[in-house]
Amino acid sequence: MKSILNQLIQLQELNFAKEEQKASNSQMPLAQLEKSIAKIRSQLPPDVADRYDRLQKRYPLAVIPLAHGNCSRCGLAVPANVVNAAKAGEQLQYCPHCGRFLFFPDTIARTPKKKFDGNRPVEVGIARFSAANLMVPKLAATTREEVISELAKALGEGGFVEDAATVTELALRREAIVSTAVEHGLAFPHVRDVEGGGLTFAVGLKEKGIEFGATGDHLSKIFFFIVIPTPATAFYLRLLAGLVRTFESTEARKALLDCEKPDEMWKTLAKLTKDTIP
Ligand SMILES: [Zn+2]
């Protein structure tokens, strides 16, 4: 059963990656993604695959973690026997209310409820999601793993996630399914289904570029590491679209990559995204 569940989760990640590519207006070929999707789908028992397809038509995400005994999507309480069976991993479990597949997450990333200082004025634009201390103008990292771990550490030290190691592990699991690198040297490593506060991201720069899994062996230079609470999933796609729209421009990429200090980088990012992320 575990393997069917893992296949379902992979299938969902691949389908969601397709949504991400659409949101990022990517010109990258979807053929490889479609091929992987078809392959995993063909390995599932037919009734499970059919159910998945039906759910997918209604909901962007159909395989959902339990959170404190509730379905983390519809939010309703799930009977204890379903929770226990999901925990034991004996057979596939469904939410009795919305019908989505349920699983018991082995690892959960959490963000504190209150993420920014109390006295800040009401924020607009990217100030709702990030801060100067989450800007890393000169990443020390030289590999994909190190980029993710370095940005997770910034989130952890800033008090934006409870445990940087957990966030790193979950982001790497996601990268292993399909890379989050897109065109223009951009990459969007992320962790979904985070519990707690709001959507938050850290940004790292590596002028020289890093092999992050982009097609055609292109190097990635600008990394947005995003932690996404379950209710913010749809918004995350809009944020992604806004960031890509901003940094499609060569001048915008250059302006950001030229930054030497976190404060300077933060001001530059705010200015560049003023219209794309209102
Ligand atoms: Zn539900």
Side-chain angles (χ1 to χ4, degrees):
M1 199 297 291
K2 256 276 184 285
S3 74
I4 297 180
L5 181 61
N6 285 337
Q7 282 172 326
L8 271 174
I9 291 172
Q10 280 195 29
L11 183 60
Q12 164 161 287
E13 287 306 329
L14 290 167
N15 271 312
F16 196 71
K18 233 168 65 180
E19 295 302 312
E20 288 167 352
Q21 290 212 358
K22 274 188 227 155
S24 62
N25 199 18
S26 172
Q27 303 302 310
M28 289 206 288
L30 288 173
Q32 188 57 44
L33 210 47
E34 295 285 10
K35 227 169 101 184
S36 308
I37 288 170
K39 189 174 165 217
I40 291 193
R41 197 190 171 284
S42 72
Q43 291 163 348
L44 287 168
D47 60 320
V48 174
D50 287 348
R51 187 183 181 104
Y52 177 84
D53 288 349
R54 278 202 310 278
L55 284 166
Q56 255 262 305
K57 284 197 187 102
R58 286 171 67 191
Y59 312 118
L61 298 173
V63 192
I64 297 299
L66 282 157
H68 312 291
N70 296 329
C71 167
S72 65
R73 288 312 285 195
C74 73
L76 294 172
V78 172
N81 64 317
V82 175
V83 175
N84 290 335
K87 198 170 175 178
E90 281 152 9
Q91 57 189 133
L92 282 177
Q93 299 297 322
Y94 317 105
C95 172
H97 312 290
C98 67
R100 291 173 173 99
F101 293 101
L102 290 174
F103 68 95
F104 197 89
D106 58 346
T107 320
I108 300 170
R110 291 193 179 83
T111 58
K113 282 257 185 275
K114 185 164 154 264
K115 50 173 199 164
F116 295 116
D117 298 339
N119 292 332
R120 285 160 50 126
V122 177
E123 302 286 3
V124 295
I126 58 159
R128 287 170 295 163
F129 317 113
S130 195
N133 60 347
L134 294 176
M135 301 294 113
V136 186
K138 304 222 173 281
L139 283 167
T142 57
T143 64
R144 178 161 88 171
E145 287 70 23
E146 287 169 4
V147 170
I148 287 174
S149 147
E150 198 172 338
L151 291 176
K153 214 171 125 213
L155 284 162
E157 280 169 2
F160 297 94
V161 298
E162 284 187 3
D163 178 10
T166 300
V167 171
T168 301
E169 190 202 322
L170 291 171
L172 287 173
R173 276 193 214 171
R174 168 61 187 79
E175 291 297 326
I177 295 173
V178 57
S179 170
T180 60
V182 298
E183 292 110 316
H184 312 300
L186 306 174
F188 297 90
H190 59 267
V191 177
R192 278 203 332 264
D193 293 324
V194 170
E195 281 188 6
L199 182 147
T200 309
F201 65 83
V203 191
L205 307 176
K206 188 80 178 180
E207 179 98 57
K208 253 173 65 186
I210 284 174
E211 174 54 64
F212 210 81
T215 50
D217 290 331
H218 292 295
L219 297 178
S220 304
K221 298 184 177 184
I222 304 177
F223 306 90
F224 295 89
F225 185 23
I226 314 175
V227 291
I228 310 155
T230 308
T233 309
F235 175 75
Y236 153 70
L237 291 173
R238 293 205 295 279
L239 176 72
L240 186 67
L243 289 171
V244 171
R245 210 156 65 238
T246 304
F247 291 102
E248 273 168 353
S249 141
T250 313
E251 298 82 65
R253 293 200 297 279
K254 186 176 180 323
L256 194 66
L257 283 165
D258 280 347
C259 293
E260 304 264 339
K261 300 250 159 58
D263 274 341
E264 178 195 7
M265 189 178 156
W266 176 239
K267 282 189 192 122
T268 306
L269 185 65
K271 204 170 138 204
L272 290 168
T273 55
K274 203 161 59 76
D275 297 324
T276 49
I277 303 166

